[in-house]
Amino acid sequence: LPPPLLKKMKHVALFVAFLAAAHAQTVTQYYCQGNTDCSSCTKSSYDLGNCYTYPAPYTNWQGTWKSQQVTCSNDKFAVNVYTDTDCTDGEALWYDVPVLVCTDISPAEYPLYVASVKTSCSASENDKLGAPPPPTSTSSPSPHAEDHNDDDGGDPCFSRDTFALSATGETIPMASLRSGDLVQDGASSTTRVIVNQHREATFKSSLVEIEHANGKLALTPDHVLSVNGEFVPARNVAPGSKLGESEVARVVCNAGEVINPLTASGKILTQGGVLASTYPEWIASYMLSSTLVPLPLSLSNLVSFLFPETTQAYYDAVIEPLVTRAHPKYLKEALPAALYPAAFLVGDLALAAGFGTFALASPMAAVAVIAAVVLQKWHK
């Protein structure tokens, strides 16, 4: 090639390399949950222009988001969130803050969310940020953190140290409940545990800790409980709210391991007399409005009534891992409301069929089948 053309190609290559380097430029953010002065933070690094998919959908006061992208312009650090996983649909600006300045990003319309950030948009600014103050135990996880909790936003539950009330009124750890156990779901009513989620497999999640006149209760932000006489997500609870007759004094964010006993009525009475649903926001209204199918009548409910121990083992061994990989909430988002009953019927049939296969494959089932055959031949 002629020397002038080679020179031009070299310049183009250098320019392309420069653009690639700029595109891959790493920026830094200190995300400080639970404080407004950047006194306790988690450090995260991002490449400008890259799309970051959350391990699980993240819900805040604006909506539910599945990915985010960071941009820098005019000494401003901005975070945009998206409703899809590749940063193309449902864009919304989360916050836009000046670099190297601790900025309070707590929204006035949502008092439960308290956070601040300190950011940089260049390598030289990264050095000026210094080391972040270490996060405290009261800082709740966020989609910005490098280390995500296993179940952040994926499967709403109660804190693992929550207590339920037995049929006789005694407090009992939720973590000890199994399929078939009876618990209170009102001042004078009881219900049966269909299955206890996360009994064997432990997960950590963001929690809303609610201090009220009769005690304390922690549950995930989108778990539903009775507030001021209505079933609403826990993230809507604020000081002054009423949990039954008990007034809320304080609400803080933290994180911890979770548990969730599903009951035949869809409700459970927790420590301090707080009534909560056993279902998360995405399905609670549908389940609590059910008068016949899927609650209280369903094949899954019948199976758990007849074979509680095998049902709990089936859930722990088969359903829990399956739901962890492919949560049904995404199927609900894709279906029109008119198809919900049909979807529940198909799901119920699939669960019952899976239970039958699991039960027949278990050692105890094999022993029972052999015993039945022996008895039949003996009677002949």
Side-chain angles (χ1 to χ4, degrees):
L1 294 175
L5 182 57
L6 285 173
K7 187 175 182 180
K8 286 184 178 180
M9 291 179 63
K10 182 178 180 181
H11 288 166
V12 169
L14 289 173
F15 181 67
V16 170
F18 170 78
L19 289 178
H23 178 74
Q25 180 179 341
T26 300
V27 298
T28 301
Q29 173 184 254
Y30 293 163
Y31 184 83
C32 317
Q33 181 79 25
N35 64 83
T36 60
D37 58 358
C38 298
S39 58
S40 173
C41 310
T42 301
K43 180 180 178 181
S44 297
S45 298
Y46 302 97
D47 290 337
L48 292 181
N50 283 1
C51 178
Y52 291 86
T53 302
Y54 300 153
Y58 179 76
T59 300
N60 66 6
W61 66 97
Q62 298 169 297
T64 299
W65 314 103
K66 297 180 181 178
S67 61
Q68 74 172 43
Q69 195 170 42
V70 173
T71 59
C72 284
S73 177
N74 299 324
D75 295 324
K76 285 290 190 73
F77 182 105
V79 175
N80 292 288
V81 288
Y82 300 82
T83 56
D84 64 0
T85 58
D86 56 3
C87 300
T88 56
D89 292 331
E91 179 180 2
L93 176 66
W94 191 333
Y95 50 83
D96 185 4
V97 298
V99 298
L100 299 178
V101 177
C102 180
T103 305
D104 180 3
I105 59 170
S106 310
E109 66 271 24
Y110 187 59
L112 293 185
Y113 183 90
V114 177
S116 54
V117 295
K118 191 175 182 182
T119 63
S120 75
C121 279
S122 68
S124 59
E125 290 173 348
N126 290 345
D127 297 334
K128 295 178 182 178
L129 278 177
T136 64
S137 59
T138 57
S139 296
S140 70
S142 80
H144 304 290
E146 290 176 333
D147 296 322
H148 295 273
N149 286 319
D150 294 331
D151 194 43
D152 217 15
D155 193 8
C157 305
F158 299 94
S159 170
R160 199 171 183 85
D161 59 6
T162 304
F163 284 80
L165 299 179
S166 70
T168 58
E170 298 177 353
T171 56
I172 179 171
M174 278 192 180
S176 69
L177 294 174
R178 298 180 62 88
S179 176
D181 288 344
L182 293 179
V183 294
Q184 291 188 6
D185 62 350
S188 58
S189 59
T190 60
T191 186
R192 178 175 47 80
V193 176
I194 297 175
V195 72
N196 198 1
Q197 297 178 306
H198 318 318
R199 192 178 188 277
E200 297 296 332
T202 57
F203 294 90
K204 294 189 72 175
S205 181
S206 303
L207 295 172
V208 174
E209 186 175 279
I210 305 167
E211 296 182 15
H212 56 98
N214 291 336
K216 185 184 298 185
L217 176 68
L219 62 174
T220 47
D222 49 348
H223 203 112
V224 172
L225 73 164
S226 180
V227 181
N228 300 326
E230 297 182 358
F231 281 101
V232 299
R235 66 170 179 273
N236 291 352
V237 178
S241 299
K242 286 292 191 69
L243 308 181
E245 298 299 320
S246 184
E247 184 171 330
V248 174
R250 184 168 175 259
V251 180
V252 297
C253 298
N254 58 28
E257 293 184 349
V258 293
I259 195 77
N260 190 48
L262 296 177
T263 64
S265 70
K267 294 176 286 188
I268 193 168
L269 202 61
T270 69
Q271 59 204 42
V274 177
L275 180 64
S277 169
T278 59
Y279 292 97
E281 181 182 12
W282 70 274
I283 196 176
S285 60
Y286 184 86
M287 299 301 283
L288 292 176
S289 64
S290 172
T291 56
L292 190 63
V293 178
L295 290 178
L297 298 181
S298 69
L299 286 175
S300 300
N301 196 356
L302 177 62
V303 162
S304 72
F305 175 75
L306 296 174
F307 311 103
E309 291 187 10
T310 308
T311 298
Q312 186 66 57
Y314 170 55
Y315 181 86
D316 293 340
V318 179
I319 304 303
E320 179 97 61
L322 179 63
V323 172
T324 301
R325 291 193 297 269
H327 204 282
K329 68 181 293 184
Y330 305 122
L331 178 61
K332 180 176 181 290
E333 293 172 359
L335 288 176
L339 294 181
Y340 290 172
F344 272 97
L345 177 60
V346 171
D348 191 33
L349 289 171
L351 287 172
F355 172 83
T357 302
F358 176 85
L360 290 174
S362 67
M364 290 302 296
V367 170
V369 170
I370 293 172
V373 172
V374 170
L375 286 173
Q376 185 179 15
K377 290 186 175 181
W378 183 77
H379 280 297
K380 289 181 179 180

